[in-house]
Amino acid sequence: MALRLSLVAVLLLLSAASTTTTTAAPAQAKSDCTDKCGDLTVPYPFGMEKGCYLREEFYIYCDRTTPLPTAYLMKGNVIVTDISLDDGELRILNMVAEDCYEAQGNLPSNSPYWLTLPLPYTISDSKNKFYAVGCDTVAYFQAFRGEDKFSGSGCISICNSLDSVDNNSCSGAGCCQTNIPRGLKNTTVVLISVANHTHIWEFNPCSYAFIAEQGKFNFSVAGLKKQDNSYRLPAILSWAIGKDTDSCDEAQKNKEDFACKANSMCVNGSVGYLCRCLPGYEGNPYHPDGCQGGL
Ligand SMILES: *[C@@H]1O[C@H](CO)[C@@H](O)[C@H](O)[C@H]1NC(C)=O
Ligand SMILES: *[C@@H]1O[C@H](CO)[C@@H](O)[C@H](O)[C@H]1NC(C)=O
Ligand SMILES: *[C@@H]1O[C@H](CO)[C@@H](O)[C@H](O)[C@H]1NC(C)=O
Ligand SMILES: *[C@@H]1O[C@H](CO)[C@@H](O)[C@H](O)[C@H]1NC(C)=O
Ligand SMILES: *[C@@H]1O[C@H](CO)[C@@H](O)[C@H](O)[C@H]1NC(C)=O
């Protein structure tokens, strides 16, 4: 009887122990650091307070004055909605460049858009596209690739009437799109008009251009109307953990600031390097405690 009771007790203890290990969430932020800004989870190397982020570039400013707190990258105007450690990506809400005209062809507002971010941020070439919307629209983007100036790429959309616009298809009539080369940073989006939208003004007073996540922008005829200028669209940035574009081999030689902690390994990112937990381990490979687990 006593034996049977103690066996039950041991089983209970064992099951209690196993539930605590399986429910223990892997450390995400550094200890004593806030890890939420509204719906956004902010894992290390990102952080919102002094001592909570690895370097200035990983600082997230959380604006709690809005009903739903909003996270900004560094102190800029880029809103962050998702942080992925595994892929080395950030989902951001990016601004839209616009070029609007009055009926007589005067230019009341022209807002080119600059996405000026230092390394380790580059625009993901595989997950984004460059889009332009308008019927008197020449749109292009310029940027830097490493230290070299990338002079530009873009697309043109010219149409004389709504009948010639392809509704729901960004194929060159009313909307055009193009690919983005790998490794772009400090991007500028530029819009030019051929005839100041004069003959098409009734249905299309403005041109718009932006870099957006592929599949997150569906063109429709309604997009040719004037948009509210706080209009933003999701885009994907790639990031790396190193200060420069060093790959794993080079970073591992500089042991003192190598970022991959216990039970993790180095993987080459699209630019620079990233860390991942070793197979059988989980958690945050950048956290001072490293990855946890192992059987
Ligand atoms: C990119 O922009 C950042 C932030 O404005 C700046 O510090 C950096 O020098 C720029 N890089 C190039 C190559 O222009
Ligand atoms: C364009 O397509 C949308 C559906 O995506 C529809 O609501 C709209 O009426 C269409 N506009 C025209 C002019 O056909
Ligand atoms: C367009 O507007 C600009 C600036 O207002 C003006 O200099 C130019 O002559 C206009 N071009 C046409 C084709 O109307
Ligand atoms: C765009 O259209 C696709 C297919 O119709 C749909 O699955 C997707 O949700 C739409 N995206 C947006 C942002 O409206
Ligand atoms: C990482 O990239 C460097 C340079 O491109 C290459 O020499 C190295 O083999 C790559 N390492 C891994 C682990 O893929």
Side-chain angles (χ1 to χ4, degrees), residues 51-74:
C52 293
Y53 45 90
L54 177 64
R55 290 193 306 276
E56 214 55 49
E57 298 91 90
F58 296 109
Y59 169 61
I60 301 279
Y61 165 67
C62 186
D63 179 0
R64 296 181 201 279
T65 62
T66 47
L68 185 67
T70 309
Y72 292 90
L73 186 55
M74 298 185 286

Side-chain angles (χ1 to χ4, degrees), residues 116-118 144 146-147 185-186:
T116 50
L117 293 169
F144 283 88
E147 290 312 306
K185 57 178 183 135
N186 288 16

Side-chain angles (χ1 to χ4, degrees), residues 162 165-168 218-222:
L162 269 187
V165 173
D166 293 335
N167 194 16
N168 300 314
N218 288 338
F219 170 70
S220 81
V221 165

Side-chain angles (χ1 to χ4, degrees), residues 10-238:
V10 166
L11 284 174
L12 279 173
L13 272 176
L14 274 176
S15 69
S18 70
T19 42
T20 48
T21 48
T22 52
T23 55
Q28 290 293 314
K30 268 174 111 173
S31 53
D32 300 326
C33 293
T34 317
D35 70 346
K36 284 273 185 190
C37 176
D39 293 337
L40 177 72
T41 301
V42 181
Y44 191 73
F46 295 87
M48 293 177 280
E49 298 108 14
K50 266 215 148 49
C52 293
Y53 45 90
L54 177 64
R55 290 193 306 276
E56 214 55 49
E57 298 91 90
F58 296 109
Y59 169 61
I60 301 279
Y61 165 67
C62 186
D63 179 0
R64 296 181 201 279
T65 62
T66 47
L68 185 67
T70 309
Y72 292 90
L73 186 55
M74 298 185 286
K75 287 194 177 94
N77 61 3
V78 173
I79 295 174
V80 180
T81 59
D82 224 331
I83 298 176
S84 164
L85 293 187
D86 284 348
D87 305 323
E89 289 176 349
L90 289 185
R91 179 173 284 116
I92 61 167
L93 288 178
N94 198 11
M95 309 255 282
V96 167
E98 65 165 33
D99 184 28
C100 288
Y101 292 82
E102 286 169 349
Q104 298 77 21
N106 296 325
L107 194 63
S109 74
N110 182 320
S111 58
Y113 179 62
W114 294 270
L115 184 60
T116 50
L117 293 169
L119 280 177
Y121 300 104
T122 54
I123 294 169
S124 167
D125 57 303
S126 58
K127 304 238 169 121
N128 301 301
K129 290 242 184 220
F130 176 75
Y131 296 94
V133 172
C135 274
D136 179 2
T137 306
V138 177
Y140 63 95
F141 56 98
Q142 299 186 310
F144 283 88
R145 289 184 100 175
E147 290 312 306
D148 298 328
K149 191 157 169 49
F150 171 73
S151 297
S153 180
C155 65
I156 297 176
S157 165
I158 308 279
C159 23
N160 296 319
S161 72
L162 269 187
D163 295 338
S164 60
V165 173
D166 293 335
N167 194 16
N168 300 314
S169 157
C170 188
S171 55
C175 177
C176 61
Q177 56 178 300
T178 190
N179 291 333
I180 294 167
R182 199 173 81 83
L184 294 191
K185 57 178 183 135
N186 288 16
T187 315
T188 310
V189 173
V190 182
L191 280 165
I192 295 173
S193 143
V194 177
N196 295 357
H197 288 248
T198 41
H199 304 298
I200 57 165
W201 188 84
E202 276 74 26
F203 70 90
N204 177 227
C206 305
S207 294
Y208 300 96
F210 43 88
I211 287 163
E213 188 176 356
Q214 215 171 331
K216 293 290 166 75
F217 169 68
N218 288 338
F219 170 70
S220 81
V221 165
L224 294 171
K225 295 257 168 60
K226 189 160 171 38
Q227 307 282 342
D228 150 17
N229 62 5
S230 60
Y231 188 46
R232 287 175 179 259
L233 283 162
I236 304 288
L237 296 182
S238 300

